[in-house]
Protein backbone atom coordinates (compact mmCIF):
# COMPACT_ATOMS: atom_id res chain seq x y z
CA UNK A 1 0.00 0.00 0.00
CA UNK A 2 1.12 3.55 -0.54
CA UNK A 3 2.40 5.73 2.26
CA UNK A 4 -0.27 7.92 3.93
CA UNK A 5 -0.37 11.54 2.77
CA UNK A 6 2.32 13.64 4.37
CA UNK A 7 4.59 10.71 5.27
CA UNK A 8 7.93 10.00 3.66
CA UNK A 9 9.14 6.62 2.42
CA UNK A 10 11.53 4.89 4.83
CA UNK A 11 15.30 4.84 4.33
CA UNK A 12 17.54 1.79 4.36
CA UNK A 13 20.06 3.23 6.81
CA UNK A 14 19.84 4.99 10.12
CA UNK A 15 18.51 3.75 13.42
CA UNK A 16 15.23 2.51 11.93
CA UNK A 17 16.46 1.34 8.55
CA UNK A 18 16.81 -2.32 9.42
CA UNK A 19 13.25 -2.57 10.71
CA UNK A 20 11.93 -0.73 7.65
CA UNK A 21 13.71 -3.19 5.37
CA UNK A 22 12.81 -6.41 7.19
CA UNK A 23 9.26 -6.81 5.76
CA UNK A 24 10.45 -5.63 2.35
CA UNK A 25 13.07 -8.38 2.31
CA UNK A 26 10.35 -10.96 2.88
CA UNK A 27 8.60 -9.61 -0.19
CA UNK A 28 11.80 -9.70 -2.22
CA UNK A 29 12.63 -13.25 -1.20
CA UNK A 30 9.11 -14.44 -1.97
CA UNK A 31 9.29 -12.79 -5.38
CA UNK A 32 12.65 -14.42 -6.11
CA UNK A 33 11.10 -17.77 -5.31
CA UNK A 34 7.91 -17.32 -7.31
CA UNK A 35 9.85 -15.93 -10.26
CA UNK A 36 12.19 -18.91 -10.29
CA UNK A 37 9.22 -21.26 -10.07
CA UNK A 38 7.54 -19.57 -13.02
CA UNK A 39 10.75 -19.74 -15.06
CA UNK A 40 11.17 -23.41 -14.27
CA UNK A 41 14.64 -23.74 -15.77
CA UNK A 42 17.92 -22.02 -16.55
CA UNK A 43 16.26 -19.21 -18.56
CA UNK A 44 12.78 -18.26 -19.78
CA UNK A 45 11.44 -20.07 -22.82
CA UNK A 46 10.38 -18.27 -25.97
CA UNK A 47 13.30 -16.05 -26.84
CA UNK A 48 13.75 -12.25 -26.77
CA UNK A 49 10.46 -10.97 -28.18
CA UNK A 50 8.02 -12.90 -25.95
CA UNK A 51 10.15 -12.09 -22.92
CA UNK A 52 10.19 -8.38 -23.75
CA UNK A 53 6.41 -8.48 -24.16
CA UNK A 54 5.96 -10.09 -20.74
CA UNK A 55 8.20 -7.49 -19.15
CA UNK A 56 6.25 -4.65 -20.81
CA UNK A 57 2.99 -6.12 -19.60
CA UNK A 58 4.25 -6.53 -16.05
CA UNK A 59 5.68 -3.02 -15.78
CA UNK A 60 2.94 -1.16 -17.57
CA UNK A 61 3.49 2.55 -17.00
CA UNK A 62 7.14 2.78 -15.95
CA UNK A 63 6.59 6.18 -14.28
CA UNK A 64 2.98 6.23 -13.07
CA UNK A 65 1.40 9.38 -11.73
CA UNK A 66 0.62 7.64 -8.46
CA UNK A 67 2.90 4.97 -7.09
CA UNK A 68 1.82 1.44 -6.23
CA UNK A 69 3.74 1.22 -2.96
CA UNK A 70 6.90 -0.55 -1.93
CA UNK A 71 5.59 -4.10 -1.60
CA UNK A 72 3.70 -4.15 -4.88
CA UNK A 73 6.60 -2.59 -6.76
CA UNK A 74 9.10 -5.05 -5.32
CA UNK A 75 6.78 -8.02 -5.81
CA UNK A 76 6.16 -7.15 -9.46
CA UNK A 77 9.65 -6.16 -10.51
CA UNK A 78 11.64 -8.79 -8.62
CA UNK A 79 9.26 -11.52 -9.76
CA UNK A 80 9.57 -10.27 -13.34
CA UNK A 81 13.35 -10.17 -13.09
CA UNK A 82 13.61 -13.66 -11.61
CA UNK A 83 11.12 -15.17 -14.04
CA UNK A 84 13.07 -13.69 -16.93
CA UNK A 85 16.59 -14.40 -15.65
CA UNK A 86 19.35 -16.55 -17.03
CA UNK A 87 20.16 -17.96 -13.62
CA UNK A 88 23.78 -19.08 -13.15
CA UNK A 89 22.69 -21.07 -10.11
CA UNK A 90 20.92 -23.50 -12.46
CA UNK A 91 23.25 -26.37 -13.43
CA UNK A 92 22.25 -26.02 -17.09
CA UNK A 93 23.16 -22.32 -17.23
CA UNK A 94 26.82 -22.69 -18.15
CA UNK A 95 27.66 -20.36 -21.01
CA UNK A 96 29.76 -17.55 -19.64
CA UNK A 97 32.25 -16.53 -16.95
CA UNK A 98 29.27 -15.52 -14.85
CA UNK A 99 29.15 -17.26 -11.49
CA UNK A 100 26.28 -17.88 -9.08
CA UNK A 101 27.11 -15.66 -6.09
CA UNK A 102 27.37 -17.08 -2.62
CA UNK A 103 24.43 -16.27 -0.36
CA UNK A 104 26.68 -14.69 2.26
CA UNK A 105 28.30 -12.43 -0.34
CA UNK A 106 24.91 -11.30 -1.64
CA UNK A 107 23.73 -10.62 1.92
CA UNK A 108 26.83 -8.51 2.56
CA UNK A 109 26.13 -6.64 -0.67
CA UNK A 110 22.70 -5.76 0.71
CA UNK A 111 24.36 -4.12 3.72
CA UNK A 112 26.65 -2.17 1.39
CA UNK A 113 23.61 -0.93 -0.53
CA UNK A 114 21.74 0.00 2.63
CA UNK A 115 24.56 2.10 4.06
CA UNK A 116 25.69 3.35 0.64
CA UNK A 117 29.26 4.38 1.45
CA UNK A 118 31.27 5.82 -1.42
CA UNK A 119 35.00 5.22 -1.43
CA UNK A 120 36.14 8.53 -2.84
CA UNK A 121 36.73 10.16 0.54
CA UNK A 122 37.23 8.86 4.07
CA UNK A 123 34.39 10.89 5.53
CA UNK A 124 31.93 9.01 3.28
CA UNK A 125 33.28 5.56 4.09
CA UNK A 126 35.26 5.36 7.32
CA UNK A 127 34.92 1.63 8.03
CA UNK A 128 34.52 0.63 4.38
CA UNK A 129 37.79 2.28 3.43
CA UNK A 130 39.62 0.45 6.24
CA UNK A 131 38.06 -2.86 5.18
CA UNK A 132 39.11 -2.27 1.58
CA UNK A 133 42.70 -1.45 2.57
CA UNK A 134 43.02 -4.67 4.58
CA UNK A 135 41.38 -6.86 1.94
CA UNK A 136 43.38 -5.50 -0.99
CA UNK A 137 46.70 -5.88 0.80
CA UNK A 138 45.86 -9.41 1.93
CA UNK A 139 44.83 -10.54 -1.54
CA UNK A 140 47.80 -8.86 -3.22
CA UNK A 141 50.06 -10.80 -0.83
CA UNK A 142 48.62 -14.03 -2.24
CA UNK A 143 50.24 -13.18 -5.56
CA UNK A 144 53.34 -11.20 -4.62
CA UNK A 145 55.82 -12.09 -1.88
CA UNK A 146 56.92 -8.48 -1.53
CA UNK A 147 56.80 -6.08 1.44
CA UNK A 148 54.37 -3.59 -0.09
CA UNK A 149 52.14 -5.57 -2.45
CA UNK A 150 48.86 -3.79 -3.09
CA UNK A 151 45.70 -4.03 -5.16
CA UNK A 152 42.91 -1.80 -6.40
CA UNK A 153 39.28 -2.86 -6.43
CA UNK A 154 37.85 -2.65 -9.95
CA UNK A 155 34.59 -3.45 -11.68
CA UNK A 156 36.26 -6.42 -13.35
CA UNK A 157 38.86 -7.46 -15.85
CA UNK A 158 38.15 -4.73 -18.37
CA UNK A 159 38.75 -1.90 -15.90
CA UNK A 160 41.77 -3.67 -14.40
CA UNK A 161 43.34 -4.18 -17.82
CA UNK A 162 42.74 -0.54 -18.71
CA UNK A 163 44.43 0.53 -15.48
CA UNK A 164 47.37 -1.76 -16.16
CA UNK A 165 47.96 -0.20 -19.58
CA UNK A 166 47.52 3.28 -18.13
CA UNK A 167 50.14 2.63 -15.46
CA UNK A 168 52.53 1.22 -18.09
CA UNK A 169 51.98 4.28 -20.27
CA UNK A 170 52.74 6.57 -17.35
CA UNK A 171 55.93 4.64 -16.62
CA UNK A 172 57.17 4.61 -20.21
CA UNK A 173 55.39 7.37 -22.12
CA UNK A 174 53.00 7.42 -25.08
CA UNK A 175 55.40 5.57 -27.38
CA UNK A 176 54.65 2.37 -25.49
CA UNK A 177 53.89 -0.64 -27.70
CA UNK A 178 51.53 -3.34 -26.42
CA UNK A 179 52.11 -6.93 -27.56
CA UNK A 180 49.46 -9.55 -26.83
CA UNK A 181 48.30 -12.89 -28.08
CA UNK A 182 45.27 -13.22 -30.31
CA UNK A 183 43.81 -15.13 -27.36
CA UNK A 184 43.84 -12.00 -25.17
CA UNK A 185 40.68 -10.40 -23.85
CA UNK A 186 39.25 -7.77 -26.17
CA UNK A 187 39.78 -5.12 -23.49
CA UNK A 188 43.55 -5.15 -24.09
CA UNK A 189 43.58 -3.68 -27.63
CA UNK A 190 40.61 -1.53 -26.73
CA UNK A 191 42.50 -0.05 -23.78
CA UNK A 192 45.45 0.78 -26.05
CA UNK A 193 43.06 2.66 -28.33
CA UNK A 194 41.33 4.37 -25.42
CA UNK A 195 44.65 5.57 -23.98
CA UNK A 196 45.92 7.00 -27.26
CA UNK A 197 48.66 4.40 -27.67
CA UNK A 198 49.68 3.02 -31.03
CA UNK A 199 47.49 0.06 -32.06
CA UNK A 200 48.29 -3.02 -30.00
CA UNK A 201 50.02 -5.83 -31.88
CA UNK A 202 48.27 -9.19 -31.77
CA UNK A 203 50.46 -12.26 -32.13
CA UNK A 204 48.89 -15.41 -33.57
CA UNK A 205 47.89 -18.16 -31.14
CA UNK A 206 46.92 -21.08 -33.39
CA UNK A 207 47.26 -23.54 -30.48
CA UNK A 208 45.27 -21.23 -28.19
CA UNK A 209 48.18 -19.84 -26.17
CA UNK A 210 50.96 -17.35 -26.78
CA UNK A 211 53.99 -19.06 -28.36
CA UNK A 212 57.26 -17.88 -26.74
CA UNK A 213 59.08 -18.26 -30.07
CA UNK A 214 56.66 -15.87 -31.76
CA UNK A 215 56.89 -13.49 -28.82
CA UNK A 216 60.70 -13.54 -28.92
CA UNK A 217 60.64 -12.68 -32.61
CA UNK A 218 58.20 -9.82 -32.01
CA UNK A 219 60.21 -8.45 -29.09
CA UNK A 220 63.41 -8.53 -31.13
CA UNK A 221 61.70 -6.56 -33.91
CA UNK A 222 59.87 -4.03 -31.72
CA UNK A 223 61.69 -0.95 -30.42
CA UNK A 224 60.98 -0.22 -26.77
CA UNK A 225 59.29 0.53 -24.59
CA UNK A 226 57.07 -2.57 -24.71
CA UNK A 227 54.32 -4.00 -22.53
CA UNK A 228 53.61 -7.69 -23.04
CA UNK A 229 50.22 -8.94 -21.86
CA UNK A 230 49.78 -12.63 -21.15
CA UNK A 231 46.60 -14.47 -20.23
CA UNK A 232 45.95 -16.93 -17.41
CA UNK A 233 42.52 -18.21 -18.35
CA UNK A 234 41.25 -17.30 -21.81
CA UNK A 235 37.56 -16.52 -22.20
CA UNK A 236 37.18 -18.97 -25.08
CA UNK A 237 38.78 -22.10 -23.66
CA UNK A 238 40.23 -21.29 -20.24
CA UNK A 239 43.79 -21.74 -21.47
CA UNK A 240 46.88 -20.38 -19.70
CA UNK A 241 49.88 -18.91 -21.50
CA UNK A 242 53.36 -20.25 -20.55
CA UNK A 243 53.91 -17.57 -17.93
CA UNK A 244 57.46 -18.28 -16.82
CA UNK A 245 58.78 -18.52 -20.38
CA UNK A 246 57.02 -15.27 -21.27
CA UNK A 247 58.42 -13.58 -18.16
CA UNK A 248 61.92 -14.78 -19.08
CA UNK A 249 61.58 -13.14 -22.49
CA UNK A 250 60.33 -9.92 -20.91
CA UNK A 251 63.39 -9.91 -18.66
CA UNK A 252 65.71 -10.52 -21.62
CA UNK A 253 64.21 -7.74 -23.75
CA UNK A 254 63.48 -5.38 -20.83
CA UNK A 255 59.76 -5.37 -21.50
CA UNK A 256 57.10 -4.97 -18.83
CA UNK A 257 54.69 -7.86 -18.24
CA UNK A 258 51.00 -7.64 -17.39
CA UNK A 259 49.06 -10.85 -16.82
CA UNK A 260 45.30 -10.94 -17.26
CA UNK A 261 44.40 -13.65 -14.75
CA UNK A 262 40.78 -12.55 -14.35
CA UNK A 263 39.65 -16.16 -14.79
CA UNK A 264 42.53 -18.25 -13.50
CA UNK A 265 44.20 -16.06 -10.89
CA UNK A 266 42.52 -17.54 -7.82
CA UNK A 267 43.92 -20.97 -8.64
CA UNK A 268 46.91 -19.72 -6.65
CA UNK A 269 44.88 -20.55 -3.51
CA UNK A 270 44.66 -24.24 -4.46
CA UNK A 271 47.63 -26.54 -3.72
CA UNK A 272 46.21 -28.91 -6.33
CA UNK A 273 45.99 -26.36 -9.14
CA UNK A 274 48.35 -23.47 -8.37
CA UNK A 275 51.11 -24.96 -10.52
CA UNK A 276 49.00 -24.03 -13.54
CA UNK A 277 49.45 -20.32 -12.80
CA UNK A 278 53.06 -20.42 -11.64
CA UNK A 279 54.73 -17.19 -12.73
CA UNK A 280 51.96 -14.76 -11.80
CA UNK A 281 54.31 -13.17 -9.30
CA UNK A 282 56.63 -12.04 -12.10
CA UNK A 283 54.13 -9.59 -13.56
CA UNK A 284 54.35 -5.83 -13.06
CA UNK A 285 50.56 -5.92 -12.77
CA UNK A 286 47.94 -8.61 -12.49
CA UNK A 287 44.20 -8.72 -13.20
CA UNK A 288 42.06 -10.98 -11.01
CA UNK A 289 38.27 -11.30 -10.86
CA UNK A 290 36.42 -12.61 -7.84
CA UNK A 291 33.10 -12.67 -9.70
CA UNK A 292 34.38 -15.70 -11.59
CA UNK A 293 36.11 -18.36 -9.46
CA UNK A 294 35.46 -16.31 -6.32
CA UNK A 295 31.63 -16.53 -6.40
CA UNK A 296 30.98 -12.85 -5.75
CA UNK A 297 28.07 -10.74 -7.02
CA UNK A 298 29.16 -8.48 -9.86
CA UNK A 299 31.31 -6.48 -9.59
CA UNK A 300 34.43 -7.73 -7.79
CA UNK A 301 37.68 -7.25 -9.69
CA UNK A 302 41.25 -6.47 -8.68
CA UNK A 303 44.38 -4.99 -10.19
CA UNK A 304 47.31 -6.24 -8.10
CA UNK A 305 50.86 -4.87 -8.17
CA UNK A 306 54.04 -5.92 -6.31
CA UNK A 307 54.56 -2.48 -4.77
CA UNK A 308 52.07 0.23 -3.92
CA UNK A 309 54.50 2.80 -5.36
CA UNK A 310 53.54 1.54 -8.82
CA UNK A 311 50.09 3.06 -8.26
CA UNK A 312 51.48 6.58 -7.75
CA UNK A 313 50.49 7.81 -11.25
CA UNK A 314 46.83 7.50 -10.21
CA UNK A 315 47.24 10.16 -7.52
CA UNK A 316 44.72 12.95 -7.99
CA UNK A 317 43.63 15.95 -5.96
CA UNK A 318 40.19 17.48 -5.58
CA UNK A 319 39.97 19.83 -2.65
CA UNK A 320 36.47 18.81 -1.58
CA UNK A 321 37.55 15.14 -1.33
CA UNK A 322 41.22 15.07 -0.32
CA UNK A 323 42.31 18.52 0.70
CA UNK A 324 46.03 18.70 1.40
CA UNK A 325 45.62 19.76 5.01
CA UNK A 326 43.15 16.90 5.64
CA UNK A 327 45.64 14.41 4.22
CA UNK A 328 48.48 15.90 6.23
CA UNK A 329 46.28 15.64 9.31
CA UNK A 330 45.92 11.90 8.76
CA UNK A 331 42.67 11.44 6.81
CA UNK A 332 43.26 8.66 4.24
CA UNK A 333 43.48 9.80 0.62
CA UNK A 334 41.22 7.50 -1.39
CA UNK A 335 40.99 9.37 -4.67
CA UNK A 336 44.07 7.72 -6.14
CA UNK A 337 42.64 4.24 -5.56
CA UNK A 338 40.52 4.34 -8.70
CA UNK A 339 39.73 6.33 -11.82
CA UNK A 340 36.15 6.32 -10.60
CA UNK A 341 34.96 8.89 -8.08
CA UNK A 342 31.78 7.45 -6.58
CA UNK A 343 32.28 3.71 -6.06
CA UNK A 344 30.67 1.02 -3.95
CA UNK A 345 32.37 -0.84 -1.07
CA UNK A 346 32.74 -4.04 -3.07
CA UNK A 347 35.45 -5.17 -0.66
CA UNK A 348 32.79 -5.84 1.99
CA UNK A 349 31.30 -8.87 0.24
CA UNK A 350 34.80 -10.14 -0.55
CA UNK A 351 35.86 -9.75 3.09
CA UNK A 352 32.71 -11.54 4.23
CA UNK A 353 33.41 -14.47 1.93
CA UNK A 354 37.06 -14.73 2.97
CA UNK A 355 36.09 -14.72 6.65
CA UNK A 356 33.18 -17.12 6.19
CA UNK A 357 34.92 -19.76 4.09
CA UNK A 358 38.59 -19.21 4.82
CA UNK A 359 41.34 -20.42 2.53
CA UNK A 360 40.27 -24.07 2.89
CA UNK A 361 36.66 -23.34 2.00
CA UNK A 362 37.52 -21.38 -1.12
CA UNK A 363 40.02 -24.06 -2.15
CA UNK A 364 37.33 -26.72 -1.86
CA UNK A 365 35.04 -24.74 -4.14
CA UNK A 366 37.80 -24.20 -6.71
CA UNK A 367 38.92 -27.84 -6.69
CA UNK A 368 35.37 -29.16 -6.88
CA UNK A 369 34.45 -26.92 -9.80
CA UNK A 370 37.59 -27.91 -11.71
CA UNK A 371 36.73 -31.57 -11.04
CA UNK A 372 33.24 -31.05 -12.48
CA UNK A 373 34.77 -29.79 -15.72
CA UNK A 374 37.06 -32.81 -15.83
CA UNK A 375 34.07 -35.14 -15.33
CA UNK A 376 32.12 -33.52 -18.14
CA UNK A 377 35.11 -33.72 -20.47
CA UNK A 378 35.67 -37.38 -19.70
CA UNK A 379 32.01 -38.23 -20.33
CA UNK A 380 32.01 -36.37 -23.64
CA UNK A 381 35.31 -37.89 -24.72
CA UNK A 382 33.95 -41.44 -24.61
CA UNK A 383 30.53 -40.55 -26.00
CA UNK A 384 30.20 -41.43 -29.71
CA UNK A 385 27.78 -38.56 -30.26
CA UNK A 386 30.23 -35.80 -29.30
CA UNK A 387 33.74 -34.61 -30.02
CA UNK A 388 35.78 -33.11 -27.18
CA UNK A 389 38.12 -30.32 -28.24
CA UNK A 390 40.68 -30.88 -25.45
CA UNK A 391 40.88 -31.72 -21.75
CA UNK A 392 39.97 -28.62 -19.69
CA UNK A 393 42.67 -26.46 -18.12
CA UNK A 394 40.27 -24.58 -15.85
CA UNK A 395 36.49 -25.06 -15.89
CA UNK A 396 35.71 -24.53 -19.58
CA UNK A 397 34.85 -27.50 -21.80
CA UNK A 398 34.61 -27.18 -25.59
CA UNK A 399 32.75 -29.86 -27.54
CA UNK A 400 30.43 -30.38 -30.51
CA UNK A 401 28.08 -33.05 -31.85
CA UNK A 402 30.09 -35.55 -33.87
CA UNK A 403 28.41 -35.18 -37.24
CA UNK A 404 27.16 -31.57 -37.03
CA UNK A 405 28.45 -28.74 -39.17
CA UNK A 406 28.92 -25.20 -37.85
CA UNK A 407 25.44 -24.10 -38.87
CA UNK A 408 23.90 -27.01 -37.03
CA UNK A 409 25.97 -26.30 -33.91
CA UNK A 410 24.80 -22.67 -33.88
CA UNK A 411 21.20 -23.69 -34.50
CA UNK A 412 21.30 -26.26 -31.69
CA UNK A 413 22.56 -23.67 -29.21
CA UNK A 414 19.87 -21.15 -30.17
CA UNK A 415 17.15 -23.82 -29.99
CA UNK A 416 18.15 -24.67 -26.43
CA UNK A 417 18.02 -20.95 -25.56
CA UNK A 418 14.61 -20.39 -27.13
CA UNK A 419 13.20 -23.46 -25.42
CA UNK A 420 14.61 -22.36 -22.07
CA UNK A 421 16.33 -25.71 -21.61
CA UNK A 422 20.05 -24.85 -21.40
CA UNK A 423 22.45 -21.92 -21.72
CA UNK A 424 25.68 -22.89 -23.46
CA UNK A 425 28.29 -20.64 -25.01
CA UNK A 426 29.93 -20.78 -28.41
CA UNK A 427 33.43 -20.15 -29.65
CA UNK A 428 35.69 -20.84 -32.61
CA UNK A 429 38.78 -23.03 -32.38
CA UNK A 430 40.74 -24.87 -35.04
CA UNK A 431 38.55 -23.23 -37.67
CA UNK A 432 35.32 -24.75 -36.35
CA UNK A 433 32.46 -23.68 -34.10
CA UNK A 434 32.26 -25.36 -30.71
CA UNK A 435 29.75 -25.42 -27.90
CA UNK A 436 31.21 -24.10 -24.66
CA UNK A 437 30.26 -25.17 -21.15
CA UNK A 438 31.75 -22.84 -18.55
CA UNK A 439 31.27 -24.51 -15.19
CA UNK A 440 31.30 -22.09 -12.27
CA UNK A 441 28.50 -23.54 -10.15
CA UNK A 442 29.96 -25.62 -7.30
CA UNK A 443 26.51 -27.04 -6.54
CA UNK A 444 26.38 -28.74 -9.94
CA UNK A 445 26.57 -32.51 -9.61
CA UNK A 446 27.85 -35.25 -11.87
CA UNK A 447 24.21 -36.23 -12.38
CA UNK A 448 23.40 -32.70 -13.59
CA UNK A 449 26.15 -32.98 -16.19
CA UNK A 450 24.89 -36.38 -17.27
CA UNK A 451 21.45 -34.79 -17.68
CA UNK A 452 23.02 -32.08 -19.85
CA UNK A 453 24.58 -34.69 -22.10
CA UNK A 454 21.26 -36.56 -22.36
CA UNK A 455 19.48 -33.30 -23.23
CA UNK A 456 22.00 -32.53 -25.95
CA UNK A 457 21.90 -36.08 -27.24
CA UNK A 458 18.12 -35.87 -27.56
CA UNK A 459 18.28 -32.46 -29.24
CA UNK A 460 20.75 -33.66 -31.89
CA UNK A 461 18.42 -36.52 -32.83
CA UNK A 462 15.33 -34.38 -33.45
Amino acid sequence: MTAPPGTLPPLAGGAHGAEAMRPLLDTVLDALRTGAEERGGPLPAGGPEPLAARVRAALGDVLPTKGTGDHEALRTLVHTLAAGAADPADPLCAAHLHCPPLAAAAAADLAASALNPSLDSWDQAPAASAIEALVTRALAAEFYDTPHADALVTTGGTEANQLALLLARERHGPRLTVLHGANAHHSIPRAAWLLGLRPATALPTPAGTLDPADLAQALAATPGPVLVTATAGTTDAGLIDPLHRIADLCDRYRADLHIDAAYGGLLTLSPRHRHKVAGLERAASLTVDLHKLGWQPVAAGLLAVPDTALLAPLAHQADYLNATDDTEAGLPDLLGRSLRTTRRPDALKIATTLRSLGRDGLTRLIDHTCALAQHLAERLDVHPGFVLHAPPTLTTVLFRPTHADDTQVATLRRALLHEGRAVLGRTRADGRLWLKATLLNPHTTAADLDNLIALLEGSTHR
Side-chain angles (χ1 to χ4, degrees):
M1 53 185 265
T2 58
T7 64
L8 295 172
L11 301 176
H16 305 291
E19 290 309 310
M21 289 184 65
R22 195 178 304 277
L24 298 178
L25 294 182
D26 286 339
T27 298
V28 167
L29 297 175
D30 285 343
L32 285 171
R33 175 182 53 80
T34 61
E37 290 171 351
E38 179 181 313
R39 186 181 67 244
L43 79 166
E49 292 185 8
L51 173 63
R54 291 196 295 272
V55 171
R56 284 194 300 270
L59 265 64
D61 187 354
V62 174
L63 183 60
T65 301
K66 293 185 178 181
T68 61
D70 294 343
H71 287 277
E72 192 283 334
L74 285 167
R75 188 180 303 112
T76 298
L77 290 173
V78 175
H79 176 97
T80 300
L81 178 70
D87 187 355
D90 189 290
L92 299 188
C93 187
H96 301 287
L97 287 166
H98 178 199
C99 71
L102 295 168
D109 222 20
L110 169 65
S113 293
L115 294 168
N116 212 27
S118 178
L119 280 100
D120 48 310
S121 66
W122 182 87
D123 59 351
Q124 298 177 79
S129 60
I131 289 171
E132 180 179 272
L134 293 169
V135 168
T136 50
R137 292 188 199 119
L139 288 175
E142 294 296 323
F143 305 104
Y144 294 111
D145 186 17
T146 53
H148 303 293
D150 202 353
L152 302 177
V153 176
T154 71
T155 55
T158 294
E159 182 186 351
N161 287 337
Q162 289 173 350
L163 284 170
L165 267 66
L166 171 62
L167 293 173
R169 186 194 70 181
E170 294 306 293
R171 288 195 299 272
H172 299 294
R175 295 186 63 80
L176 178 73
T177 297
V178 178
L179 300 179
H180 64 87
N183 63 346
H185 193 262
H186 62 84
S187 61
I188 296 292
R190 193 179 191 199
W193 163 77
L194 183 67
L195 294 168
L197 299 172
R198 62 188 68 187
T201 300
L203 305 178
T205 53
T209 56
L210 186 55
D211 185 344
D214 289 340
L215 177 60
Q217 186 176 7
L219 284 168
T222 305
V226 175
L227 174 71
V228 174
T229 70
T231 305
T234 61
T235 54
D236 284 343
L239 301 179
I240 298 172
D241 288 338
L243 302 179
H244 272 307
R245 295 172 66 191
I246 291 170
D248 288 344
L249 288 170
C250 289
D251 288 346
R252 183 189 309 169
Y253 289 95
R254 298 183 178 180
D256 278 5
L257 174 62
H258 169 67
I259 300 176
D260 179 356
Y263 184 5
L266 286 183
L267 260 64
T268 196
L269 298 178
S270 167
R272 183 178 301 174
H273 293 286
R274 66 167 59 111
H275 68 278
K276 298 177 183 178
V277 292
L280 290 181
E281 72 282 356
R282 300 181 66 182
S285 55
L286 184 65
T287 290
V288 180
D289 274 359
L290 285 95
H291 53 235
K292 294 181 171 63
L293 281 173
W295 295 281
Q296 297 300 292
V298 172
L302 292 176
L303 177 72
V305 293
D307 195 297
T308 192
L310 292 169
L311 303 175
L314 299 178
H316 185 65
Q317 207 273 326
D319 197 56
Y320 76 105
L321 295 173
N322 59 347
T324 302
D325 60 315
D326 276 350
T327 303
E328 291 174 348
L331 294 185
D333 181 357
L334 306 182
L335 205 53
R337 304 291 298 178
S338 177
L339 291 182
R340 292 172 285 150
T341 303
T342 302
R343 58 187 183 92
R344 301 182 78 250
D346 288 316
L348 175 65
K349 61 197 176 192
I350 299 171
T352 301
T353 299
L354 299 180
R355 183 177 178 87
S356 170
L357 297 183
R359 184 187 304 275
D360 290 348
L362 275 171
T363 297
R364 282 195 297 271
L365 292 180
I366 292 168
D367 290 351
H368 178 66
T369 310
C370 289
L372 287 171
Q374 187 63 41
H375 172 83
L376 177 60
E378 291 171 356
R379 289 281 286 110
L380 290 166
D381 197 30
V382 299
H383 196 297
F386 299 96
V387 177
L388 177 70
H389 180 262
T393 302
L394 295 176
T395 67
T396 299
V397 181
L398 304 186
F399 63 99
R400 55 183 285 143
T402 302
H403 301 296
D405 59 27
D406 285 359
T407 299
Q408 290 168 325
V409 170
T411 300
L412 169 61
R413 174 181 174 273
R414 287 192 294 270
L416 294 171
L417 290 175
H418 277 264
E419 294 165 5
R421 303 174 77 191
V423 188
L424 294 173
R426 55 179 283 171
T427 191
R428 288 202 167 271
D430 301 334
R432 294 193 292 174
L433 187 65
W434 298 81
L435 295 173
K436 177 174 70 169
T438 308
L439 302 180
L440 292 177
N441 183 351
H443 283 225
T444 299
T445 65
D448 292 325
L449 298 177
D450 292 343
N451 290 338
L452 173 62
I453 292 174
L455 171 64
L456 290 165
E457 187 179 25
S459 297
T460 59
H461 292 160
R462 287 187 298 179

